[in-house]
Amino acid sequence: DWFMVRGSYNTGFRVPAFNQIFNGVTQSPNPGNTLVDPTTCPTGTVSLLPGCAAITPDTLTGGNLNLGPETSEQYSVGVVLQPSSRFSASVDFWSIAVDDTIGTLTTQQLLANAAFFPERLVRTNGIITLLDLRAANIGSRRTQGIEVSMRGGFDALGGSIALAMDGTYL
């Protein structure tokens, strides 16, 4: 009765919003001239250096029929000690892993991470002419933590005094 072990394992998913899948797709021109191809321009700024000429790719926004759900796995394991009715302590470890997170990238984010999303840059004769900025499954997220809880109390002054402490390390 004074010692308990607990744990759980779960999976989950989050489907994309209707609009993230079925909104119309818009192709818009890029009005500026400050972008460069990150694979050919080491400085990342427009200049006369080879490969650093300005590019003006169009951008795609709107729905994405290829957008899939986010998936997750989470688990926790812990122990509870209760040596008396007025004292208890517990420690729990938990972990959450989310894959295929749904998100959108800005033009600058896409160009800065072009190596991770080559299919989102369309080239014509070697020059980037189109950037796909529609929602996509673009990453993953990992979160883990430890939670500690202690409760105690005693009789005093004609009543009882209770103390509690909770903490989380994320």
Side-chain angles (χ1 to χ4, degrees):
D1 289 343
W2 64 273
F3 179 77
M4 178 179 65
V5 176
R6 59 184 170 194
S8 70
Y9 173 80
N10 307 282
T11 60
F13 67 95
R14 181 179 77 90
V15 296
F18 186 83
N19 289 344
Q20 291 174 314
I21 299 173
F22 296 110
N23 266 3
V25 176
T26 302
Q27 184 169 337
S28 305
N30 181 338
N33 61 355
T34 60
L35 302 177
V36 295
D37 186 335
T39 62
T40 61
C41 185
T43 64
T45 58
V46 175
S47 70
L48 296 176
L49 292 173
C52 292
I55 59 172
T56 56
D58 289 354
T59 57
L60 285 183
T61 57
N64 182 352
L65 294 174
N66 296 318
L67 190 58
E70 292 182 355
T71 58
S72 68
E73 285 188 354
Q74 50 272 345
Y75 66 89
S76 67
V77 61
V79 296
V80 179
L81 304 171
Q82 188 172 5
S84 73
S85 63
R86 296 227 176 168
F87 177 80
S88 67
S90 65
V91 176
D92 293 284
F93 173 79
W94 52 269
S95 176
I96 302 170
V98 180
D99 291 314
D100 298 320
T101 54
I102 298 170
T104 56
L105 298 171
T106 65
T107 299
Q108 290 75 19
Q109 288 171 328
L110 180 55
L111 290 174
N113 296 285
F116 297 108
F117 305 103
E119 72 285 355
R120 301 187 72 76
L121 286 77
V122 176
R123 296 176 182 273
T124 304
N125 298 324
I127 298 171
I128 298 174
T129 56
L130 183 68
L131 300 174
D132 187 350
L133 301 179
R134 296 175 296 163
N137 299 102
I138 59 174
S140 61
R141 180 173 56 246
R142 301 289 183 264
T143 309
Q144 295 180 331
I146 297 175
E147 294 188 356
V148 177
S149 177
M150 292 176 51
R151 306 264 183 271
F154 55 90
D155 292 328
L157 306 170
S160 63
I161 296 178
L163 302 170
M165 179 197 76
D166 293 300
T168 301
Y169 178 77
L170 179 63

